[in-house]
Amino acid sequence: FIFLTDDITPRLNKICKALDRVGFSYELIIFGNLSIYTNLDYKKKNILVIKDNFFDYLKLLKFKGSTFHLIINSNLDFYNNLIKLKIFKCLVDFYDHKFLYKQTKSITRQKKLEHNILENCNGIISRSLGLKYQNKNKKYKNKKILFLDYSSKADLQKKLVKKKYYNLLIIFPRWNSLLIYKNLEYIFNILLRQNFKIYLILNPENIKNLNELKKKNNFNNIHYFDFLEHRDYVKNLENMDAYLWISINELIESTSKNYVYKSSMHRYAASNRIYEMIERNIFSASPRITKFDSYILNRYSHAYIYNSLEDLKNLRFELEKKIGFKNKNISKILINNNINRLIKF
């Protein structure tokens, strides 16, 4: 079993650690530069790093006939060329499907490459319902498996307790500038009036933008984490009481050039963050438009599914309604209870 990826994602971390627990051997190949990856959470000594050139393709020949699990984030040309060699059994696992994005010149080309990859691979591993939506006409006949991002542990779950101030985490799309968002001041005011301490995960540019926004509006209880430091982010989750997912529809006009998604993105796409909240029993508020993730949150945690920003005026009330509730059984979405499905695929 050989993983080949261009990024170290929480999904890959969880899969590899689950394989380590059951003693299943695998290899890891990184396409790119190993020095930029700081999120290796699992024990793996021998990692092969390759680039897109003839000599590195030769390095892969020693794996001829092997099964490759391709976790694809970008660099679609590379993966398409690799599959066309037809010397490996290739299972593809797209982090983001390009057919869920609005049409642009770049996306059009990427969609064509993605189509070729999905059509010519040996199997498809899906982390969301996006492919099921796209594949209504059954054009991708390869064998498929729905393998979510899943939760890692059940023993991290804590009880909700009543407090004067609740720590609330908000995660925005990582590279968008806060300056393009509408309703931010309105959202912050709603939450601060309910005695929420707000925590955001931001890139360096947005940290500067946030500080200016705080100064302008005299916002005191808004803090930030650097999203690049994943280990610190996970550690800080221990102190979070609530998680708020704000739909991009509430932040950017759908007619704006910055609005890059189709409406189907919200209904069928998936977020790895929700499983981190579920495994810790962090109260989560999710917009109804995110159909698939809202279902998972509502099924396996004490969540609040809201229709509009106006509903957030009741967020503290909805949280405190859940105090004293028994934690839900999350055994069905633990990666350790699903890893054998992936091994047998």
Side-chain angles (χ1 to χ4, degrees):
F1 211 71
I2 302 168
F3 291 101
L4 197 161
T5 186
D6 54 277
D7 194 8
I8 302 297
T9 61
R11 175 177 179 81
L12 179 60
N13 273 316
K14 284 188 276 190
I15 291 174
C16 289
K17 286 195 282 188
L19 291 174
D20 287 338
R21 288 188 194 103
V22 298
F24 190 87
S25 62
Y26 59 91
E27 302 284 341
L28 176 59
I29 303 173
I30 294 177
F31 177 74
N33 187 343
L34 182 61
S35 65
I36 67 173
Y37 298 105
T38 59
N39 291 328
L40 288 164
D41 287 346
Y42 46 88
K43 298 174 183 177
K44 197 65 187 165
K45 295 179 181 178
N46 300 317
I47 299 174
L48 176 63
V49 180
I50 62 169
K51 298 185 183 296
D52 192 4
N53 60 53
F54 174 75
F55 294 105
D56 280 3
Y57 275 98
L58 290 178
K59 292 179 184 177
L60 296 177
L61 289 179
K62 70 176 182 178
F63 301 109
K64 184 177 179 180
S66 300
T67 297
F68 273 51
H69 181 159
L70 309 178
I71 298 185
I72 303 172
N73 298 278
S74 56
N75 299 292
L76 271 63
D77 282 295
F78 167 75
Y79 295 107
N80 187 44
N81 291 334
L82 190 71
I83 290 171
K84 284 194 296 185
L85 291 175
K86 296 190 180 297
I87 59 175
F88 314 108
K89 180 182 178 182
C90 292
L91 309 177
V92 300
D93 186 343
F94 275 91
Y95 197 77
D96 261 341
H97 287 296
K98 302 308 176 187
F99 52 71
L100 293 174
Y101 286 76
K102 282 185 176 179
Q103 202 87 339
T104 64
K105 187 175 180 180
S106 172
I107 290 295
T108 299
R109 183 177 181 280
Q110 291 179 67
K111 279 172 62 178
K112 185 176 179 180
L113 286 168
E114 180 175 349
H115 169 72
N116 292 340
I117 291 169
L118 290 170
E119 194 171 48
N120 297 313
C121 69
N122 300 98
I124 301 170
I125 302 167
S126 294
R127 61 185 287 269
S128 73
L129 296 183
L131 185 65
K132 184 176 180 181
Y133 157 76
Q134 174 73 2
N135 200 37
K136 288 177 180 176
N137 60 4
K138 311 292 184 186
K139 61 184 173 183
Y140 303 124
K141 302 185 186 298
N142 329 57
K143 66 174 184 175
K144 304 173 189 67
I145 182 174
L146 179 64
F147 193 81
L148 308 179
D149 284 340
Y150 294 115
S151 293
S152 298
K153 298 180 181 179
D155 58 2
L156 295 173
Q157 289 190 308
K158 57 185 180 181
K159 295 286 185 184
L160 283 172
V161 295
K162 191 163 186 175
K163 298 179 178 180
K164 181 178 180 180
Y165 292 96
Y166 293 104
N167 294 331
L168 172 74
L169 176 68
I170 303 175
I171 302 177
F172 293 120
R174 62 175 66 179
W175 287 120
N176 283 353
S177 168
L178 290 181
L179 300 179
I180 69 173
Y181 292 150
K182 60 177 183 176
N183 295 325
L184 266 191
E185 294 176 20
Y186 175 71
I187 292 167
F188 290 156
N189 270 310
I190 285 179
L191 298 172
L192 291 171
R193 286 172 188 165
Q194 296 175 73
N195 281 351
F196 283 109
K197 292 182 179 179
I198 300 171
Y199 291 83
L200 308 173
I201 298 178
L202 302 174
N203 62 46
E205 177 192 342
N206 277 334
I207 290 173
K208 180 182 176 182
N209 293 334
L210 175 66
N211 286 332
E212 291 174 357
L213 185 69
K214 286 172 62 177
K215 185 176 180 180
K216 174 186 171 184
N217 294 276
N218 197 28
F219 290 147
N220 294 318
N221 263 336
I222 303 179
H223 314 277
Y224 61 82
F225 305 131
D226 185 336
F227 89 90
L228 290 173
E229 299 299 330
H230 185 261
R231 289 185 185 86
D232 291 343
Y233 152 72
V234 172
K235 185 177 180 181
N236 281 312
L237 285 180
E238 297 172 10
N239 302 316
M240 292 301 118
D241 304 297
Y243 164 62
L244 172 60
W245 187 355
I246 302 175
S247 166
I248 200 71
N249 290 44
E250 302 284 11
L251 297 169
I252 301 175
E253 296 290 350
S254 60
T255 54
S256 167
K257 67 178 182 179
N258 296 306
Y259 193 95
V260 298
Y261 311 110
K262 292 181 180 177
S263 60
S264 51
M265 166 69 86
H266 311 293
R267 294 197 297 272
Y268 300 103
S271 165
N272 62 70
R273 301 295 187 193
I274 65 171
Y275 300 99
E276 296 165 340
M277 309 307 157
I278 290 171
E279 69 190 19
R280 291 167 174 80
N281 196 37
I282 295 174
F283 172 81
S284 298
S286 177
R288 194 171 299 279
I289 192 173
T290 58
K291 188 176 179 180
F292 179 64
D293 281 347
S294 290
Y295 167 78
I296 296 291
L297 280 169
N298 209 32
R299 173 69 179 82
Y300 294 103
S301 71
H302 300 303
Y304 173 47
I305 311 304
Y306 66 92
N307 294 302
S308 70
L309 293 181
E310 285 293 305
D311 294 340
L312 296 182
K313 291 178 179 178
N314 302 315
L315 190 58
R316 185 184 180 96
F317 172 74
E318 293 295 334
L319 184 159
E320 293 185 337
K321 276 184 5 184
K322 309 294 185 182
I323 292 175
F325 281 28
K326 183 180 177 181
N327 292 351
K328 292 188 178 182
N329 183 350
I330 66 171
S331 60
K332 288 186 178 179
I333 58 165
L334 289 175
I335 193 162
N336 290 346
N337 295 340
N338 286 276
I339 196 64
N340 282 328
R341 293 174 50 241
L342 186 64
I343 292 171
K344 293 174 183 177
F345 179 63

